[in-house]
Short mmCIF file of all heavy atoms in Angstrom, two decimals:
data_model
loop_
_atom_site.label_atom_id
_atom_site.label_comp_id
_atom_site.label_asym_id
_atom_site.label_seq_id
_atom_site.Cartn_x
_atom_site.Cartn_y
_atom_site.Cartn_z
N GLY N 17 176.58 76.52 80.62
CA GLY N 17 175.64 75.42 80.50
C GLY N 17 176.09 74.34 79.53
O GLY N 17 175.38 73.36 79.33
N PHE N 18 177.28 74.49 78.92
CA PHE N 18 177.81 73.50 77.98
C PHE N 18 179.08 72.86 78.55
O PHE N 18 179.94 73.55 79.09
CB PHE N 18 178.13 74.15 76.63
CG PHE N 18 176.92 74.57 75.86
CD1 PHE N 18 176.34 75.81 76.06
CD2 PHE N 18 176.35 73.71 74.92
CE1 PHE N 18 175.21 76.19 75.36
CE2 PHE N 18 175.24 74.09 74.21
CZ PHE N 18 174.66 75.33 74.43
N GLN N 19 179.19 71.55 78.39
CA GLN N 19 180.40 70.83 78.80
C GLN N 19 180.78 69.84 77.71
O GLN N 19 179.99 68.96 77.36
CB GLN N 19 180.18 70.09 80.12
CG GLN N 19 181.42 69.35 80.60
CD GLN N 19 181.20 68.61 81.90
OE1 GLN N 19 180.10 68.60 82.44
NE2 GLN N 19 182.24 67.98 82.42
N SER N 20 181.97 70.01 77.16
CA SER N 20 182.43 69.14 76.08
C SER N 20 183.32 68.03 76.64
O SER N 20 184.10 68.27 77.56
CB SER N 20 183.20 69.95 75.04
OG SER N 20 183.75 69.09 74.06
N PHE N 21 183.19 66.83 76.05
CA PHE N 21 183.99 65.68 76.49
C PHE N 21 184.99 65.25 75.42
O PHE N 21 185.62 64.21 75.56
CB PHE N 21 183.06 64.52 76.83
CG PHE N 21 182.12 64.82 77.98
CD1 PHE N 21 180.83 65.26 77.73
CD2 PHE N 21 182.54 64.70 79.29
CE1 PHE N 21 179.97 65.55 78.76
CE2 PHE N 21 181.68 64.99 80.35
CZ PHE N 21 180.39 65.42 80.09
N VAL N 22 185.09 66.03 74.34
CA VAL N 22 186.01 65.69 73.26
C VAL N 22 186.75 66.93 72.80
O VAL N 22 186.34 68.06 73.10
CB VAL N 22 185.26 65.06 72.06
CG1 VAL N 22 184.69 63.71 72.43
CG2 VAL N 22 184.16 66.01 71.55
N GLU N 23 187.84 66.71 72.05
CA GLU N 23 188.61 67.79 71.47
C GLU N 23 188.80 67.52 69.98
O GLU N 23 188.61 66.39 69.51
CB GLU N 23 189.97 67.90 72.16
CG GLU N 23 189.90 68.27 73.63
CD GLU N 23 191.28 68.35 74.26
OE1 GLU N 23 192.26 67.99 73.56
OE2 GLU N 23 191.37 68.74 75.43
N VAL N 24 189.17 68.56 69.24
CA VAL N 24 189.44 68.40 67.82
C VAL N 24 190.53 67.35 67.62
O VAL N 24 191.57 67.37 68.29
CB VAL N 24 189.85 69.74 67.18
CG1 VAL N 24 190.28 69.54 65.74
CG2 VAL N 24 188.70 70.73 67.24
N GLY N 25 190.30 66.44 66.70
CA GLY N 25 191.25 65.38 66.41
C GLY N 25 190.93 64.06 67.08
O GLY N 25 191.49 63.02 66.72
N ASP N 26 190.03 64.07 68.07
CA ASP N 26 189.65 62.83 68.75
C ASP N 26 188.91 61.90 67.80
O ASP N 26 188.12 62.35 66.95
CB ASP N 26 188.75 63.13 69.95
CG ASP N 26 189.52 63.72 71.13
OD1 ASP N 26 190.75 63.81 71.03
OD2 ASP N 26 188.87 64.11 72.12
N GLN N 27 189.14 60.60 67.95
CA GLN N 27 188.38 59.59 67.24
C GLN N 27 187.28 59.08 68.19
O GLN N 27 187.58 58.69 69.32
CB GLN N 27 189.28 58.43 66.81
CG GLN N 27 190.42 58.83 65.89
CD GLN N 27 189.94 59.27 64.52
OE1 GLN N 27 188.96 58.75 64.00
NE2 GLN N 27 190.65 60.23 63.93
N VAL N 28 186.03 59.11 67.74
CA VAL N 28 184.93 58.73 68.62
C VAL N 28 184.14 57.58 68.00
O VAL N 28 184.11 57.41 66.77
CB VAL N 28 183.99 59.93 68.88
CG1 VAL N 28 184.71 61.02 69.64
CG2 VAL N 28 183.43 60.50 67.57
N GLU N 29 183.50 56.81 68.86
CA GLU N 29 182.67 55.71 68.43
C GLU N 29 181.20 56.14 68.44
O GLU N 29 180.82 57.08 69.16
CB GLU N 29 182.85 54.51 69.37
CG GLU N 29 184.26 53.93 69.38
CD GLU N 29 184.64 53.29 68.05
OE1 GLU N 29 183.73 52.75 67.37
OE2 GLU N 29 185.83 53.33 67.70
N ALA N 30 180.37 55.45 67.67
CA ALA N 30 178.93 55.73 67.68
C ALA N 30 178.39 55.54 69.09
O ALA N 30 178.67 54.54 69.75
CB ALA N 30 178.21 54.82 66.70
N GLY N 31 177.62 56.51 69.57
CA GLY N 31 177.04 56.43 70.90
C GLY N 31 177.90 57.03 71.99
O GLY N 31 177.46 57.13 73.15
N GLN N 32 179.12 57.46 71.66
CA GLN N 32 180.00 58.06 72.66
C GLN N 32 179.52 59.47 73.01
O GLN N 32 179.11 60.24 72.14
CB GLN N 32 181.43 58.11 72.14
CG GLN N 32 182.44 58.70 73.11
CD GLN N 32 183.85 58.63 72.55
OE1 GLN N 32 184.17 57.78 71.72
NE2 GLN N 32 184.72 59.53 73.01
N LYS N 33 179.59 59.81 74.31
CA LYS N 33 179.13 61.13 74.73
C LYS N 33 180.08 62.21 74.23
O LYS N 33 181.29 62.15 74.44
CB LYS N 33 179.02 61.21 76.25
CG LYS N 33 178.41 62.54 76.74
CD LYS N 33 178.50 62.69 78.24
CE LYS N 33 177.60 61.72 78.97
NZ LYS N 33 177.59 61.99 80.43
N LEU N 34 179.51 63.22 73.56
CA LEU N 34 180.29 64.34 73.04
C LEU N 34 180.12 65.60 73.87
O LEU N 34 181.06 66.37 74.04
CB LEU N 34 179.88 64.64 71.59
CG LEU N 34 179.96 63.51 70.56
CD1 LEU N 34 179.47 64.01 69.22
CD2 LEU N 34 181.36 62.97 70.46
N LEU N 35 178.91 65.79 74.37
CA LEU N 35 178.57 67.09 74.94
C LEU N 35 177.40 66.96 75.89
O LEU N 35 176.51 66.12 75.69
CB LEU N 35 178.19 68.05 73.79
CG LEU N 35 177.93 69.52 74.10
CD1 LEU N 35 179.24 70.21 74.42
CD2 LEU N 35 177.28 70.20 72.89
N GLU N 36 177.40 67.76 76.94
CA GLU N 36 176.22 67.94 77.78
C GLU N 36 175.84 69.41 77.75
O GLU N 36 176.71 70.29 77.69
CB GLU N 36 176.50 67.50 79.23
CG GLU N 36 176.57 65.99 79.40
CD GLU N 36 176.70 65.59 80.87
OE1 GLU N 36 176.79 66.50 81.73
OE2 GLU N 36 176.71 64.37 81.14
N PHE N 37 174.54 69.69 77.77
CA PHE N 37 174.08 71.08 77.73
C PHE N 37 172.84 71.24 78.61
O PHE N 37 172.07 70.29 78.81
CB PHE N 37 173.79 71.54 76.30
CG PHE N 37 172.89 70.61 75.51
CD1 PHE N 37 171.53 70.82 75.45
CD2 PHE N 37 173.43 69.52 74.84
CE1 PHE N 37 170.71 69.98 74.72
CE2 PHE N 37 172.61 68.67 74.10
CZ PHE N 37 171.26 68.90 74.04
N ASP N 38 172.67 72.43 79.14
CA ASP N 38 171.61 72.72 80.11
C ASP N 38 170.40 73.31 79.38
O ASP N 38 170.40 74.49 79.00
CB ASP N 38 172.13 73.70 81.16
CG ASP N 38 171.17 73.87 82.33
OD1 ASP N 38 169.98 73.54 82.17
OD2 ASP N 38 171.61 74.33 83.39
N LEU N 39 169.36 72.50 79.20
CA LEU N 39 168.15 72.97 78.52
C LEU N 39 167.45 74.07 79.31
O LEU N 39 166.86 74.99 78.73
CB LEU N 39 167.19 71.80 78.29
CG LEU N 39 167.59 70.80 77.20
CD1 LEU N 39 166.70 69.58 77.25
CD2 LEU N 39 167.50 71.46 75.83
N GLN N 40 167.48 73.97 80.63
CA GLN N 40 166.82 74.98 81.45
C GLN N 40 167.47 76.35 81.29
O GLN N 40 166.80 77.38 81.31
CB GLN N 40 166.83 74.55 82.93
CG GLN N 40 165.98 73.33 83.22
CD GLN N 40 164.53 73.55 82.82
OE1 GLN N 40 163.94 74.60 83.08
NE2 GLN N 40 163.94 72.55 82.18
N GLN N 41 168.79 76.36 81.13
CA GLN N 41 169.49 77.64 80.95
C GLN N 41 169.11 78.26 79.61
O GLN N 41 168.95 79.48 79.50
CB GLN N 41 171.00 77.42 81.02
CG GLN N 41 171.79 78.72 81.11
CD GLN N 41 173.10 78.54 81.85
OE1 GLN N 41 173.44 77.45 82.26
NE2 GLN N 41 173.83 79.62 82.04
N MET N 42 168.94 77.42 78.58
CA MET N 42 168.48 77.94 77.29
C MET N 42 167.08 78.53 77.42
O MET N 42 166.78 79.61 76.90
CB MET N 42 168.46 76.81 76.25
CG MET N 42 169.80 76.32 75.80
SD MET N 42 169.60 75.14 74.45
CE MET N 42 171.12 74.22 74.63
N LYS N 43 166.21 77.78 78.12
CA LYS N 43 164.83 78.24 78.30
C LYS N 43 164.78 79.56 79.04
O LYS N 43 164.02 80.47 78.70
CB LYS N 43 164.02 77.17 79.04
CG LYS N 43 162.55 77.47 79.15
CD LYS N 43 161.81 76.32 79.82
CE LYS N 43 160.32 76.62 79.93
NZ LYS N 43 159.58 75.51 80.60
#
């Protein structure tokens, strides 16, 4: 239920997508 869009060492900007996660799977 987790999908990452970055890796260690990446430089990211404010508002850039880092991660998606499934709330229903947690529930």
Side-chain angles (χ1 to χ4, degrees):
F18 290 87
Q19 181 180 2
S20 175
F21 298 96
V22 293
E23 297 179 353
V24 173
D26 286 355
Q27 300 292 325
V28 295
E29 298 293 328
Q32 181 176 334
K33 185 189 291 187
L34 304 178
L35 186 72
E36 286 186 357
F37 50 95
D38 190 341
L39 287 170
Q40 293 302 316
Q41 191 151 2
M42 289 187 204
K43 186 177 180 181

